[in-house]
Amino acid sequence: ASSKNVSTGTYIAPKSLTDQKNNPKLQQCSGQGIYVLTDGEPNSNFFASTMTRAALKNPSFNCTQDGSGWDCMHKASQELLDPSKNPSGLKIKTAVVGFGTSFNNIPSYNSSLSKSENLAVVNAASGASNDVKNAARWGIMGEGGWYSGNSPDDIIKSINAFLAELKAEIPA
């Protein structure tokens, strides 16, 4: 089956997601996330606000369109975390993986630190561009984590760490 509505050109969510929307029992045992893998230093995005409004199905979504797209990406990650503000009706975490040497100067996300402590680590990192730091902030703010990788093994580790972040507590 296709994940695209041919007549409207829009995404069709899988049944496993739509079944959860109005079923708290299913939501309790499930975690949702977006895993973003970069293949080099991020660069500008002049259409971030337009794309984000469309993805969130929210024409009133507001962000600063400065050419970098970071304000839009950071705010979108917050909208995805809030089930009342995204079309899935579910909490969706965002993880970001920087693949390549541009990301070596920022330590990966540490799940034993708070969000603000992880952000402070990124902000204090030297030798990384603002775009690289913003990519790391995106994953931390999105509650899925930030990971730096240079090998296939690093990617496997980041996927496993992200899956651990998605793990839902199963109620008794």
Side-chain angles (χ1 to χ4, degrees):
S2 175
S3 62
K4 179 180 178 182
N5 181 325
V6 178
S7 64
T8 63
T10 58
Y11 171 75
I12 299 172
K15 186 173 179 347
S16 62
L17 288 180
T18 58
D19 285 351
Q20 291 177 48
K21 189 168 187 172
N22 296 311
N23 188 328
K25 283 187 176 186
L26 288 177
Q27 290 175 18
Q28 288 178 335
C29 299
S30 179
Q32 306 304 323
I34 298 171
Y35 180 89
V36 180
L37 176 64
T38 69
D39 63 350
E41 187 163 336
N43 51 36
S44 63
N45 185 343
F46 291 97
F47 302 106
S49 61
T50 303
M51 289 188 295
T52 304
R53 282 186 196 105
L56 294 172
K57 297 180 182 177
N58 180 356
S60 63
F61 175 81
N62 190 21
C63 61
T64 302
Q65 186 59 56
D66 63 0
S68 73
W70 288 118
D71 184 59
C72 296
M73 301 309 287
H74 292 163
K75 287 180 178 173
S77 72
Q78 300 310 289
E79 299 276 313
L80 290 169
L81 288 170
D82 185 341
S84 70
K85 293 184 178 180
N86 74 64
S88 75
L90 303 168
K91 181 177 183 173
I92 301 173
K93 294 184 178 186
T94 304
V96 178
V97 181
F99 192 74
T101 57
S102 300
F103 305 95
N104 289 348
N105 293 322
I106 300 180
S108 291
Y109 174 79
N110 182 339
S111 62
S112 65
L113 298 177
S114 69
K115 184 187 291 190
S116 61
E117 289 170 325
N118 271 292
L119 288 169
V121 168
V122 169
N123 293 337
S126 61
S129 73
N130 283 335
D131 283 331
V132 168
K133 286 184 176 186
N134 275 315
R137 290 179 190 115
W138 182 22
I140 294 166
M141 293 168 67
E143 297 184 7
W146 150 256
Y147 308 94
S148 176
N150 288 298
S151 70
D153 190 50
D154 291 336
I155 300 305
I156 292 167
K157 288 176 185 174
S158 70
I159 291 169
N160 288 330
F162 181 44
L163 290 174
E165 289 298 319
L166 292 179
K167 189 186 323 179
E169 293 294 322
I170 298 175

